[in-house]
Amino acid sequence: MSTPSNESSISPQLREKLQQIYAHGNKQMLIGSFDYANDMFTQCLIGDPGNIVYFKTFLANLKKKHGDKKKKGMLSFLGGTGISKALVGKKPDQIIKAGADSLKSNPWDAQTLIAMGGANEELGNHEVAVEYYRAAVEAEPGDYEVNRICAQALREIAAFDEALACAARMLKAKPADQIADKLRKDLTIEKTIHKGKYAMGDSQQVRDTVSQMKSPQAEDEDVMGRPLTYIEQVEKRIKKNPNDIANFIELAQYFYQQGNYAESERYYIEAVRISKNEPDMVERLLDTQKQKLASQLQNLPDEVKEYKEKALKLKEQFEKHKTAEIRNEFYKIKEAYDQGKKALETLQPDFDAKNMELARHRIKYHPNHAGYHYEYGILLQQIGEVKEAIAEFQHAKADVTRKGDCLFALGQCFEQIQQTKLAMTHYQEAIEELADTSDNKKEALYLATKLAIQLEDYAKAEKYGHQLAAIDFSYKDIGELLDKVAQKHHN
């Protein structure tokens, strides 16, 4: 794994363009336009294959499109060599492009994910390759070869707990397999040495300890000989060593990836306790709590609507039949509706508060992370703390991938505090930086047109109005504004 990354081959201009496409894709995903979003994310994935965020969002969008219903790998009948066999001799970028097209119809195709991970290995994108392998394991957790490949990749980045989980699944698939058993023992040794419990010279002592361990079959069974599930195996390790934080993190990450944020939160709370509030553990907990609230907020409106519809139907039935059974059921459903409506009213403030808490924590412990400053600035702007938001955007604009968005946000902030000249300057700079495909570009042109009218600079208003009309003539009331500008300009 010593191949140099291809990151340096991506120009700042291309990186910025991909970021704009990515932002547009995110907005399409949020409104359920998954196919359109996939087109955007595919461009990002192919343009910058080493970007982990692009891959994760690409896959998440496809899973949402398919309803998060896992399918059997389309190429599994080929014995795990389907796409690999079809792409023998192909270049890594060709494999990634073909893989992205294949995943469009089935994002749980483990063999495609493995092939794309291997292509990224060739390109030197080791971190994102691991994410492909993790996704493959999630798609086919019982596949011996998928777990073997993932375990080796995790081993190289010292993610020993995850690698051990892969080894355990390998042994479950092939209980007497010597390769899997040796891998498990070697990982245990390396994990112990890595944690610093033994010096490198004491490795024989560690090996002696491992040789005394129970057989893998015994470790994977309960006292009655029943095979333990993956979760039960980790819980068993927790009972043996309740202060080993790695086991809590392992289950927390597992449940997080499954979307079970309540269970993930439970294990992260323990990880925070054991680590004595280590900042990274606190950040993970806050992020999990935020995701849990976001999930509840997303699902609750549908539940409230469903209760309301049921209550109306029961009310109609009661008016016809007037039975005690229907009446009791009506009041039961109505109570659930009232509780859901009340929860909906409190969830949004709870989510906003948790989002702000996470943002402040990240700013405190990652003071040089431009992305976190930008996200925090957006939150501050939303609650009206404009001057504080300005400071965050000014810090974040040093990141070339966010410069245009930061300049646009600064223009809005300065306009809010009546600094119209500064607002116009920043709108103009944002317009130069932002790509035409960006929604912020359209809004910057629109606001610059309106502000120019306010400042009675009709030449500038006409310039930006026409520029917006050329991109999207149907944008808001730009047609009416241009008519207004024409009347003022020629009078």
Side-chain angles (χ1 to χ4, degrees):
M1 296 179 67
S2 59
T3 308
S5 172
N6 72 333
E7 184 176 350
S8 60
S9 65
I10 301 172
S11 67
Q13 293 80 9
L14 175 57
R15 194 176 299 281
E16 183 178 0
K17 180 181 177 181
L18 292 174
Q19 189 63 24
Q20 298 296 339
I21 294 171
Y22 172 76
H24 188 60
N26 258 314
K27 291 182 180 179
Q28 294 302 316
M29 181 171 67
L30 287 172
I31 63 174
S33 184
F34 301 122
D35 287 331
Y36 189 14
N38 180 68
D39 291 341
M40 302 293 103
F41 295 142
T42 299
Q43 290 182 55
C44 296
L45 190 74
I46 294 171
D48 188 2
N51 190 308
I52 291 176
V53 174
Y54 289 167
F55 165 63
K56 285 188 171 182
T57 311
F58 165 83
L59 200 62
N61 175 66
L62 287 175
K63 288 181 178 180
K64 284 187 176 183
K65 174 190 172 182
H66 291 278
D68 285 320
K69 295 178 181 177
K70 187 186 294 187
K71 301 177 183 178
K72 181 70 175 173
M74 293 172 65
L75 303 172
S76 58
F77 67 91
L78 293 173
T81 60
I83 194 168
S84 299
K85 186 179 290 185
L87 296 175
V88 168
K90 299 290 185 182
K91 294 180 179 179
D93 58 339
Q94 293 174 317
I95 295 174
I96 291 169
K97 186 176 180 180
D101 186 57
S102 176
L103 291 176
K104 185 176 180 180
S105 58
N106 180 17
W108 295 275
D109 189 340
Q111 304 309 321
T112 298
L113 290 163
I114 288 292
M116 294 174 77
N120 273 286
E121 290 277 14
E122 288 189 53
L123 292 171
N125 301 325
H126 311 310
E127 290 184 8
V128 76
V130 173
E131 294 303 322
Y132 276 94
Y133 299 149
R134 281 172 170 150
V137 169
E138 183 184 348
E140 295 287 353
D143 188 289
Y144 177 93
E145 186 62 14
V146 167
N147 276 285
R148 185 193 67 78
I149 292 170
C150 188
Q152 293 294 353
L154 291 165
R155 183 182 191 177
E156 294 194 30
I157 62 170
F160 297 114
D161 289 308
E162 284 187 84
L164 281 164
C166 289
R169 288 189 288 269
M170 290 169 66
L171 284 165
K172 187 175 180 180
K174 296 182 180 181
D177 186 68
Q178 293 182 358
I179 294 174
D181 188 35
K182 182 178 183 303
L183 176 62
R184 180 184 67 91
K185 290 178 180 178
D186 288 345
L187 286 168
T188 303
I189 293 166
E190 291 169 22
K191 175 186 173 183
T192 305
I193 293 172
H194 185 77
K195 289 173 71 174
K197 290 184 178 179
Y198 297 88
M200 289 302 293
D202 297 328
S203 59
Q204 185 57 48
Q205 181 184 351
V206 183
R207 291 185 182 277
D208 292 341
T209 302
V210 173
S211 68
Q212 297 169 12
M213 295 169 63
K214 294 180 181 179
S215 68
Q217 290 90 334
E219 286 189 349
D220 295 345
E221 297 174 353
D222 64 11
V223 292
M224 301 300 292
R226 178 183 66 85
L228 296 175
T229 65
Y230 163 69
I231 295 170
E232 288 172 334
Q233 289 176 46
V234 184
E235 284 283 11
K236 188 176 181 180
R237 298 205 305 264
I238 287 174
K239 287 180 181 179
K240 283 184 179 180
N241 190 354
N243 290 317
D244 187 348
I245 192 173
N247 293 318
F248 290 99
I249 295 172
E250 183 176 344
L251 280 182
Q253 289 176 330
Y254 170 80
F255 284 116
Y256 186 98
Q257 291 169 357
Q258 299 296 315
N260 188 341
Y261 301 115
E263 280 297 289
S264 180
E265 177 187 24
R266 186 163 69 89
Y267 288 103
Y268 272 134
I269 287 172
E270 289 302 306
V272 169
R273 178 186 63 79
I274 294 169
S275 71
K276 297 180 180 178
N277 297 310
E278 197 275 324
D280 179 59
M281 288 299 104
V282 174
E283 182 176 339
R284 294 189 191 199
L285 173 59
L286 291 174
D287 178 60
T288 303
Q289 291 171 333
K290 170 190 167 182
Q291 295 299 335
K292 183 178 78 169
L293 288 167
S295 178
Q296 292 171 345
L297 196 59
Q298 183 178 9
N299 296 328
L300 197 54
D302 290 336
E303 292 179 15
V304 172
K305 182 182 178 182
E306 185 180 335
Y307 283 135
K308 184 177 181 180
E309 290 173 352
K310 285 183 179 179
L312 290 171
K313 288 179 181 178
L314 286 167
K315 187 178 180 181
E316 290 176 3
Q317 291 177 19
F318 180 74
E319 289 173 354
K320 290 180 181 179
H321 305 289
K322 298 190 182 299
T323 65
E325 184 180 356
I326 294 175
R327 181 186 61 198
N328 292 338
E329 184 66 17
F330 168 76
Y331 282 118
K332 181 181 176 182
I333 294 295
K334 186 178 182 301
E335 183 180 0
Y337 167 73
D338 290 338
Q339 289 177 351
K341 190 177 179 182
K342 185 177 180 180
L344 191 59
E345 292 170 352
T346 58
L347 264 179
Q348 187 65 54
D350 288 347
F351 171 78
D352 292 341
K354 186 61 65 176
N355 203 10
M356 183 63 79
E357 184 181 2
L358 173 61
R360 285 175 174 151
H361 179 89
R362 283 173 167 166
I363 288 296
K364 181 178 180 181
Y365 292 102
H366 307 282
N368 297 318
H369 194 298
Y372 290 157
H373 281 283
Y374 176 75
E375 291 169 8
Y376 186 39
I378 292 292
L379 294 178
L380 290 170
Q381 186 183 16
Q382 289 172 350
I383 62 174
E385 295 185 11
V386 181
K387 291 182 179 179
E388 293 81 357
I390 288 171
E392 298 303 321
F393 291 134
Q394 287 176 331
H395 193 293
K397 72 177 182 179
D399 180 0
V400 66
T401 64
R402 297 183 183 274
K403 186 176 180 181
D405 293 316
C406 289
L407 289 167
F408 168 63
L410 283 166
Q412 290 178 303
C413 288
F414 284 124
E415 188 169 5
Q416 282 180 264
I417 59 173
Q418 308 302 313
Q419 294 287 341
T420 53
K421 289 185 178 179
L422 276 173
M424 179 58 79
T425 299
H426 283 83
Y427 284 146
Q428 289 174 302
E429 292 178 5
I431 289 164
E432 293 299 316
E433 289 287 336
L434 292 166
D436 287 351
T437 54
S438 167
D439 288 338
N440 281 347
K441 173 72 167 275
K442 295 180 185 179
E443 187 65 8
L445 286 165
Y446 179 76
L447 294 177
T449 302
K450 291 189 71 175
L451 186 57
I453 293 172
Q454 180 185 328
L455 295 172
E456 298 183 352
D457 188 344
Y458 301 116
K460 194 172 288 182
E462 189 172 51
K463 173 187 174 183
Y464 292 125
H466 281 144
Q467 195 174 337
L468 175 55
I471 298 172
D472 184 356
F473 187 73
S474 64
Y475 193 81
K476 296 185 177 180
D477 59 341
I478 189 61
E480 296 175 18
L481 286 180
L482 282 172
D483 290 341
K484 183 178 180 180
V485 170
Q487 291 173 3
K488 293 282 188 181
H489 199 188
H490 300 296
N491 285 341

